[in-house]
Amino acid sequence: YTITLEINQICNFSCKYCYLGTLTNKEMSFKIATNALEIAFINAKRHSDHRLWVDFVGGETLLSFNFIEQLCQWIDKEIEKNHLKVTYSITTNGSIINTEILNWLISRKVQVKISIDGWKDIHDQNRKRNNGEGTFHLVYKNLDLFYEYQNRTGIRMQATHVVTKNNYQNLFLVVQYLVEKLQMKFVDSAIDLFVDWNKKELDYIANEWKKIIKYIKNRNSIGNPFIWGPLIDMYQSEVNCKGCGVGLVRIYVRTDGRIYGCSANLNESGYLGNVQYGFLTKKIQECKKRTIISDACVKCSLEKKCLTKLCFMNYEQDDEGKKMPNAVMCYLEKKKHQLWIEYCERK
């Protein structure tokens, strides 16, 4: 069972594509955090592995490091009482790590995700400080500390870059840079779904994916593998098409205690309840249905292997108000399937 806690809406960056929009500069209260976690404890105990995954996000999460440290001490005691196991993860912009934070991350084996969009010119296009200055140098100077974390824990840190309108043409080169120059062993390429993509641009992205898959196969052949997020999606779609379990095995809790399925939809349609009064029964029933199937889905050859129809946090509506899968995700789902058949099914 996974709970993502939006620890704060405070940040020293002002990224163009931030899904939170205008930040409130507020931090989650200890009471809201513990109420949310108590909900997670109840649900985690219903699962056979009795494991809870606690994911910390912001804002810049590490600006609330002292809060997180105290919260984890509380979690440790409660986990023992509830006979659960816990895994922690954190997303950071990488700018404010220090030796104290490093040692804490290592001691708890926290899984680390760093947001970095590529080399300086690419990164600084979208990831700026509040005064408009680029931020690449703030992340780059701290990479040695993150490498130390990786070496001492044996855990791959994850680099996440956002693919959007002004950088998608460099998608392959960015992945190559993150792997070869910055020595990242796990790279995720997240498509910005909050902008309008056209078919030509999406075809370009799919072609960049093809280059990346060939690159992965080549590195595998010489014993230098790395993990790439979209390839995991392709595997899940083809081999284990069950969806992410949003609302059922994972929730996203905002700074003010409102519960959502995930960060992809923080609007009213994604609202599932709050930590004070619990879940909205009707919304959880919708989560259990799990699928959004339009007339086009029924006719599609990928209907039984489609993750997009399971993603009702990103759904759209037709002219009659009926729910239908996100058009961009739908188009890319077909591209992923084609690439899997062409490059990944072959032994």
Side-chain angles (χ1 to χ4, degrees):
Y1 192 88
T2 300
I3 179 170
T4 298
L5 295 176
E6 186 185 279
I7 290 298
N8 64 36
Q9 285 207 16
I10 308 167
C11 198
N12 55 337
F13 286 12
S14 184
C15 302
K16 289 183 179 179
Y17 48 63
C18 181
Y19 67 88
L20 293 179
T22 302
L23 301 183
T24 64
N25 291 319
K26 292 182 179 179
E27 186 176 73
M28 179 178 280
S29 72
F30 200 82
K31 181 62 175 174
I32 286 176
T34 55
N35 282 351
L37 285 159
E38 284 169 353
I39 292 173
F41 295 155
I42 292 170
N43 284 283
K45 285 191 288 188
R46 294 172 179 167
H47 295 271
S48 58
D49 63 357
H50 283 205
R51 179 170 292 281
L52 177 64
W53 191 304
V54 182
D55 184 32
F56 299 112
V57 301
E60 169 42 38
T61 321
L62 290 177
L63 287 171
S64 297
F65 172 66
N66 291 334
F67 176 86
I68 294 171
E69 191 176 28
Q70 293 170 13
L71 185 59
C72 287
Q73 291 173 0
W74 179 87
I75 293 172
D76 284 346
K77 296 175 183 176
E78 297 302 312
I79 284 293
E80 188 173 349
K81 291 178 188 176
N82 286 277
H83 307 290
L84 296 170
K85 294 167 284 188
V86 65
T87 298
Y88 295 111
S89 60
I90 195 165
T91 299
T92 175
N93 63 30
S95 66
I96 59 172
I97 188 173
N98 54 36
T99 303
E100 180 188 4
I101 294 173
L102 170 67
N103 289 331
W104 181 82
L105 293 171
I106 291 170
S107 67
R108 290 189 172 275
K109 294 187 176 180
V110 179
Q111 302 207 13
V112 175
K113 291 176 268 187
I114 305 173
S115 299
I116 184 167
D117 278 353
W119 57 91
K120 183 179 181 350
D121 289 346
I122 292 291
H123 179 92
D124 286 350
Q125 284 184 119
N126 297 310
R127 302 187 64 79
K128 300 177 182 293
R129 299 189 72 176
N130 295 325
N131 61 6
E133 294 178 359
T135 61
F136 179 82
H137 66 288
L138 298 174
V139 185
Y140 190 80
K141 69 181 177 61
N142 288 329
L143 285 179
D144 283 343
L145 290 175
F146 287 109
Y147 295 147
E148 184 178 347
Y149 152 86
Q150 189 167 257
N151 292 335
R152 287 171 60 184
T153 62
I155 301 172
R156 297 182 182 93
M157 58 182 169
Q158 175 180 326
T160 297
H161 71 109
V162 177
V163 181
T164 194
K165 285 280 191 173
N166 61 6
N167 65 22
Y168 74 95
Q169 292 178 320
N170 290 291
L171 201 168
F172 166 70
L173 292 177
V174 166
V175 171
Q176 186 179 46
Y177 174 82
L178 293 173
V179 171
E180 295 185 13
K181 299 297 184 182
L182 299 191
Q183 304 168 45
M184 297 296 175
K185 303 295 185 182
F186 189 158
V187 176
D188 192 25
S189 305
I191 305 293
D192 183 359
L193 294 175
F194 295 98
V195 298
D196 292 324
W197 295 99
N198 61 46
K199 182 178 179 297
K200 183 178 179 181
E201 292 164 339
L202 295 177
D203 285 342
Y204 192 99
I205 289 172
N207 193 56
E208 292 290 283
W209 282 351
K210 183 187 296 186
K211 293 179 186 177
I212 295 167
I213 291 173
K214 290 181 177 180
Y215 177 59
I216 290 170
K217 291 172 75 72
N218 180 60
R219 287 186 66 89
N220 286 345
S221 69
I222 60 175
N224 254 327
F226 71 96
I227 298 171
W228 185 51
L231 193 59
I232 296 174
D233 292 341
M234 293 178 198
Y235 173 82
Q236 289 178 335
S237 182
E238 293 293 330
V239 179
N240 186 30
C241 188
K242 294 182 179 179
C244 65
V246 65
L248 303 177
V249 297
R250 63 176 63 241
I251 57 172
Y252 181 102
V253 182
R254 306 215 66 181
T255 308
D256 59 8
R258 288 175 293 162
I259 303 173
Y260 290 80
C262 69
S263 61
N265 183 356
L266 299 179
N267 299 313
E268 184 180 353
S269 59
Y271 177 69
L272 302 181
N274 63 68
V275 299
Q276 184 176 0
Y277 299 109
F279 294 107
L280 300 176
T281 303
K282 182 179 178 181
K283 286 288 188 177
I284 296 302
Q285 291 302 320
E286 288 181 8
C287 292
K288 289 180 179 179
K289 292 179 182 178
R290 295 175 58 185
T291 58
I292 297 171
I293 302 180
S294 66
D295 292 340
C297 290
V298 175
K299 300 174 183 177
C300 180
S301 61
L302 298 183
E303 194 269 322
K304 292 183 179 179
K305 292 185 174 182
C306 181
L307 290 176
T308 297
K309 69 178 174 58
L310 301 176
C311 185
F312 56 89
M313 286 292 116
N314 269 313
Y315 72 82
E316 297 176 348
Q317 290 184 319
D318 62 17
D319 294 337
E320 298 177 357
K322 295 179 180 178
K323 292 180 181 178
M324 56 188 295
N326 180 280
V328 171
M329 292 175 65
C330 179
Y331 190 82
L332 291 177
E333 185 88 34
K334 294 172 184 175
K335 292 294 185 180
K336 287 178 181 179
H337 177 75
Q338 292 170 8
L339 290 171
W340 181 268
I341 296 297
E342 187 173 356
Y343 294 101
C344 303
E345 276 194 340
R346 297 173 183 174
K347 295 182 180 180

